[in-house]
Structures are given as C-alpha cells and as structure tokens.
Amino acid sequence: MRTDILTLLEEVDRDAAEQAYLRALSVSLKDLLTLWFSVGFLTLERVTWQSSCDMLQKVSDYEAVHPIRNWTDLKRRVGPYRRCFVFTHSSMPREPIVVLHTALTTEISNKILSIVAHPRMHSEADAFAAASSAGGEDPEKITTAVFYSITASQKGLQGIELGNYLIKRVVRELQAEFPKISKFSSLSPIPGFHKWLITEIIKDENDQSHSQLFTQEEMDKLAKILETITSELLPSLKKLLVTNKWIQDEALTRELETPLMRLCCRYLYIEKRRGYALDSVANFHLRNGAVMWRLNWKADLSPRGLGNSCGLMVNYRYFLDATEENSASYLENQTIHASEQILQLARQAVAKENKTRTTSNM
C-alpha cells in the first residue's frame, strides 16, 4: 500500500489538495512499518551459490548499484572471497529486504573492476587464484572487508533505516569468521555528481570571465587540448561530459583529473542540503558514522559510472571504535569526518571559490 502511495505522490501535482492527505497517510504507514520491520524482527541470511534459485534470482534482479550480467557473474559475487548478506522478515519469506555485497581483500579497493571482474583478491594473485579455483579461502590472508553494493528492494520501506543495521550485523559476522580482519570500508558510487557538474557548468557559461569551476590556467590548458578558444570551452566540455567521450582522449582525461577531483570533493564535502551532505550515498554512510576517506579517480569506467560520477568513486571507512561518536556529531552538528586527502581537496575548492568571489568584486 505504501508503495502505491509513494508512486501517487510522484504523480500528483504538488499543489493539489490530495498531496497533504497522501503525505499524512504515507507518514502513518511508515511509522507502522518501522515497528513491524524493526531490527529485532529481521533475520540475517548469507546467500551462497547453494541458496535457493528464487533467492539468487531476486538478489540478481534487485542489484541496482552494479548490475549483475549473468549467472557466471552472480556465482562470482557469492563465491570465494565474496559475501552476500540479506535481511529477511517472517511476513515475507524468501524475499530479501536489503542486500549487502562485500569483497574480502587485503587492502581497501580503489576500483570497482577489481571486485566485480575477478573472483580472487587482487594481491598475491597466484595464491588466491589457486584457492578460488579450489573453492576455498585462506582466512589468514583476509584483513579487509569492502562493502561495494547495498540495495533496498522494497520501495514501501523507503525512509526506514535498515541498511545501517545490516552493515553493523555483517561487521560482527565477519569479525567472528575472520579473526584477522581489521579494516572495513565501502567503495561507493557518487550518483549525483555528474548531474550537479553539468548544472554548474551551465551556470558558469553565463560568466566565463569568472569561472566558479576552473582556474584560468586549467581553462587555458583545456582549451588548447580541445583546440578551441577559452570563450567556447565550456559548451565544448559540457558536450564531451554529457556523451562521456572525454574519457577517450588521454590528454584531456589527464588534464581533467585535478579539477574534477576538486569539484567532486566540493560536491561531497561542501555542498549541503539542510545542513547535511547533498549526496544521498554520502549522507547514508556519514549518518552511520563512517569517515569520508578516499576519493578515487577512474574507479568506475562503465557507462553507468561515467554517467553518474565521471568515473569517480569514494571510500567511506568505518573505524569501529569511532562510528558512534562520528554518527552523533554528524547528526547533531552536521560535522563530516574526513581524511587528509579529502580535507586538502576541500581546501583547494574553498580557495578557488574565494578567489573567484574576490575577482568578481573587483
């Protein structure tokens, strides 16, 4: 019922009288579902290749972050050095409510291809390849868990925090299974960055003499590579970004790394909605107490990755002894805990904005 109401809310005009009634009903149902689907009523299950076919099919169908291509791909994602956990509820048997995919590695991954394309860990490859082919794992080698996909399957449970509880439960499961595991991190998409960037470029086109996005040196270098004049740079660059053709030009890709890393950090760390992170995925992990740890260049070069975030991904790291404190400071004071790499990029973004503001006022 709540799924239908949420769908109606998307279709009904915001000024229509029905909006208020539908919103009130949605809130009432959400409160009721929050009680019914509290963590105490949820069951944690690990999905393996031996799980039922309908469960495997649903895990494949519901995967929204990194789509599963075929059964071979699915087998890898539930096989050696991988874990797939789901929450189920007694009222919805054999139905995954939230799905979490995890890679077991020796280091925090900075590229999604190293996880979804290879069934083995990406260091000490020969030893792990042999273990994988034999269907086994070496617990002594596993020191890191990378959460690379979390998906809520039920639209009707939107707004009910289940993903954070799933991550916490999985952390405890992995600690019990692998005594040497000590590092927990996500490898997360940045779904709104590309759209935000294009919007900002459109704004910038109106006053290229005082660009909010690029330094004059960056604009001169980019104009030279694109063989255009500075005044025509932003329309040309926007077209390349929209079509993802920029990634095919090695010189252009190299020159865009510095400004795109800086701008992506601005989007993640500085841009806010009601005081909290603008990006929904960032907001989710920061609410859970994670640290914005590392921004990764050319981390997801799939069409989806380029279209969502220009190929960038970010690690949110969970320092278990600090998650409660970090979560409280974010929720109460909107404080984002970040690594030195993120803070350095943020300082560069702020310096660029301040310089532009100063130049505009002269």
Side-chain angles (χ1 to χ4, degrees), residues 98-304:
V98 190
V99 184
L100 176 65
H101 288 276
T102 306
L104 305 174
T105 72
T106 57
E107 58 191 0
I108 297 176
S109 309
N110 61 3
K111 286 181 171 55
I112 192 60
L113 193 62
S114 66
I115 292 176
V116 299
H118 301 294
R120 62 179 182 271
M121 301 168 76
H122 38 93
S123 59
E124 302 181 47
D126 294 338
F128 292 134
S132 293
S133 63
E137 297 169 338
D138 184 354
E140 296 298 311
K141 303 287 187 182
I142 296 170
T143 62
T144 305
V146 179
F147 310 121
Y148 66 93
S149 173
I150 184 164
T151 302
S153 65
Q154 308 298 318
K155 184 177 179 180
L157 297 178
Q158 180 180 306
I160 301 173
E161 295 189 3
L162 299 176
N164 58 339
Y165 294 116
L166 180 55
I167 288 177
K168 291 173 182 176
R169 287 285 303 277
V170 168
V171 165
R172 293 202 295 270
E173 290 287 322
L174 295 177
Q175 285 179 313
E177 186 177 1
F178 303 105
K180 290 195 173 182
I181 202 164
S182 60
K183 291 179 283 188
F184 297 91
S185 174
S186 76
L187 179 59
S188 299
I190 313 169
F193 173 59
H194 186 273
K195 182 179 179 180
W196 173 86
L197 178 62
I198 297 301
T199 301
E200 292 300 311
I201 288 177
I202 292 172
K203 293 178 184 177
D204 230 19
E205 285 179 319
N206 297 325
D207 185 10
Q208 295 189 44
S209 61
H210 302 297
S211 174
Q212 298 283 339
L213 305 177
F214 303 98
T215 66
Q216 189 58 51
E217 182 182 1
E218 289 167 349
M219 293 188 71
D220 291 341
K221 289 182 178 179
L222 290 169
K224 184 177 181 181
I225 292 171
L226 295 178
E227 298 180 347
T228 186
I229 57 176
T230 305
S231 60
E232 297 295 327
L233 171 63
L234 291 179
S236 300
L237 186 58
K238 181 179 66 177
K239 183 178 179 180
L240 290 170
L241 288 169
V242 168
T243 59
N244 295 332
K245 289 184 177 179
W246 63 275
I247 198 67
Q248 300 170 10
D249 187 322
E250 188 175 336
L252 179 60
T253 302
R254 189 166 50 249
E255 197 57 48
L256 281 173
E257 179 176 358
T258 297
L260 287 187
M261 288 281 283
R262 182 182 68 243
L263 289 166
C264 191
C265 184
R266 171 183 157 187
Y267 169 74
L268 289 172
Y269 186 81
I270 298 174
E271 298 293 327
K272 299 291 194 297
R273 178 187 288 120
R274 298 176 183 173
Y276 297 101
L278 177 62
D279 184 76
S280 59
V281 177
N283 191 50
F284 168 78
H285 287 290
L286 294 170
R287 288 172 65 91
N288 293 346
V291 172
M292 193 178 290
W293 190 66
R294 184 175 66 194
L295 194 57
N296 303 298
W297 176 247
K298 295 173 72 172
D300 182 3
L301 298 182
S302 67
R304 179 189 289 255

Side-chain angles (χ1 to χ4, degrees), residues 322-337:
T323 52
E324 295 297 328
E325 182 181 343
N326 291 348
S327 176
S329 63
Y330 179 69
L331 292 172
E332 296 169 10
N333 305 314
Q334 293 83 49
T335 300
I336 296 178
H337 294 268

